[in-house]
Amino acid sequence: MIKKLLEKYKEILMYLIFGVLTTLVSYIVYAVFYYKIGASALVSNIFSWIFSVTFAFITNKVFVFESKSFKLAKFLYEAASFYGCRLLSGVIETLFIWLTVDLLSLNSMLMKVLISVFVVIVNYFFSKLIIFKKEKNKH
């Protein structure tokens, strides 16, 4: 029974596992750039985003959505779509935080948690339905 549940929800479980690992990559890269290299918070955050989104792209492509094609055109489409969608969800997250925390003075951490849940869900559907969309078998 557990095996069937794991098989049924494998994609979602893998997405969540690699999401946690992506977050760790983000924090580690930020800390290295900020504390060890001495870069500014902004520069550290930019590199954190680049490294974590790259890690997420690779792990989502290979392990989560199991996109097998490495043909140049397909790979470039997936990469551009992935980075574009992550950039879009990052802008949405930033605008939500600005609106709810800076303008409406709502609880910062509560708003961060709420938007993070939304962003994880949106990114999953971007990946599943747009970026790594399975091609239907042609008969």
Side-chain angles (χ1 to χ4, degrees):
M1 182 167 146
I2 292 176
K3 186 177 179 181
K4 284 188 179 190
L5 282 174
L6 288 175
E7 287 174 11
K8 182 176 181 181
Y9 296 107
K10 176 187 175 197
E11 186 178 272
I12 293 171
L13 289 170
M14 295 295 282
Y15 183 78
L16 293 173
I17 289 167
F18 284 109
V20 169
L21 293 174
T22 298
T23 302
L24 287 174
V25 168
S26 175
Y27 289 171
I28 290 168
V29 170
Y30 181 88
V32 167
F33 274 84
Y34 188 75
Y35 294 110
K36 298 291 183 192
I37 296 174
S40 70
L42 177 63
V43 169
S44 300
N45 199 59
I46 289 169
F47 277 100
S48 167
W49 186 86
I50 292 168
F51 276 78
S52 62
V53 171
T54 300
F55 176 82
F57 170 68
I58 293 166
T59 57
N60 276 246
K61 176 175 180 47
V62 175
F63 300 111
V64 178
F65 298 102
E66 300 176 348
S67 175
K68 304 292 186 198
S69 176
F70 283 90
K71 291 180 182 173
L72 185 60
K74 175 86 170 169
F75 184 83
L76 291 176
Y77 167 80
E78 290 174 341
S81 299
F82 193 86
Y83 282 88
C85 287
R86 292 296 168 110
L87 190 57
L88 176 62
S89 65
V91 168
I92 292 168
E93 179 178 12
T94 302
L95 289 174
F96 180 85
I97 292 296
W98 173 74
L99 176 68
T100 60
V101 177
D102 292 342
L103 293 183
L104 300 176
S105 299
L106 298 176
N107 181 284
S108 176
M109 287 311 294
L110 176 61
M111 294 301 103
K112 182 69 173 164
V113 168
L114 289 177
I115 192 60
S116 293
V117 169
F118 174 77
V119 166
V120 165
I121 293 168
V122 165
N123 283 338
Y124 174 79
F125 284 107
F126 278 158
S127 292
K128 183 168 182 68
L129 302 176
I130 298 170
I131 302 162
F132 302 114
K133 182 179 176 182
K134 303 268 191 243
E135 295 184 21
K136 295 178 182 175
N137 292 335
K138 296 175 185 173
H139 295 304

